[in-house]
Amino acid sequence: MTHTRRRSPRSRVLAPSAALCVLAVAGCSGGGGQPSVAVPTPSPEAAGYCEDLHKELPETVDDLERSDPSPDSDLTAGWGDGAIVLRCGVPRPARMDDSQSKAVDADGVNWLLEQPDDADGGPRFTTTYRKAYVEVTLGTEYAHDITPLSAFAVPVKKTVPDSL
């Protein structure tokens, strides 16, 4: 005796619905999304400063619109789909102990220059002498241009106190 399994009408309705859900999720997480960055894990005190900083960050930097990276966090921000990425609450850079390290001043905020680990990346700057360390990574188009750092001077000075 041969038994034929018969599909219920309900399973035929669910199959297309499931396929549509998969397509919808794929469409929302397509490759053109925001870049992903590691979210720092600062002390509670530093996290408080970072949350205050996040509220003060500009909507545009160097004519680039704000487009925060994923995952969504008050500790990260971005402009120009990853051309400029800010992370607040990063660990103290080891290079701060190196007397040969290079630093720049941008409108009253001192930034330590760190070259990226990979040769293809742009420069990375981390604030010094602040109660929370703020890191800004610039795209390769900013290899010799610190202009975007000026956009962060007022928000950093306003929300992240000096540590000296």
Side-chain angles (χ1 to χ4, degrees), residues 34-42 68-78 85-91 124 133 135-137:
Q34 302 305 323
S36 179
V37 299
V39 176
T41 53
D68 290 348
S70 64
D72 187 35
S73 171
D74 284 351
L75 303 174
T76 61
V85 175
L86 179 144
R87 298 184 327 132
C88 185
V90 298
R124 182 175 57 234
Y133 294 103
E135 174 191 276
V136 173
T137 304

Side-chain angles (χ1 to χ4, degrees), residues 42-158:
S43 70
E45 178 186 21
Y49 298 130
C50 293
E51 288 171 15
D52 292 343
L53 173 63
H54 192 78
K55 295 172 192 168
E56 297 294 326
L57 292 172
E59 286 302 313
T60 60
V61 173
D62 200 36
D63 295 327
L64 299 174
E65 293 293 320
R66 178 107 178 236
S67 58
D68 290 348
S70 64
D72 187 35
S73 171
D74 284 351
L75 303 174
T76 61
W79 294 263
D81 294 330
I84 300 171
V85 175
L86 179 144
R87 298 184 327 132
C88 185
V90 298
R92 181 181 188 274
R95 294 212 40 202
M96 283 184 68
D97 296 327
D98 180 358
S99 62
Q100 301 300 310
S101 293
K102 295 179 182 174
V104 297
D105 182 275
D107 295 336
V109 175
N110 197 40
W111 298 86
L112 175 71
L113 170 63
E114 298 182 86
Q115 292 301 328
D117 296 331
D118 60 358
D120 295 333
R124 182 175 57 234
F125 297 89
T126 307
T127 57
T128 61
Y129 311 119
R130 297 274 163 192
K131 292 199 175 191
Y133 294 103
V134 179
E135 174 191 276
V136 173
T137 304
L138 303 175
T140 54
E141 61 269 33
Y142 295 103
H144 302 286
D145 182 6
I146 64 165
T147 304
L149 295 180
S150 293
F152 305 116
V154 169
V156 166
K157 287 189 287 189
K158 181 176 180 180

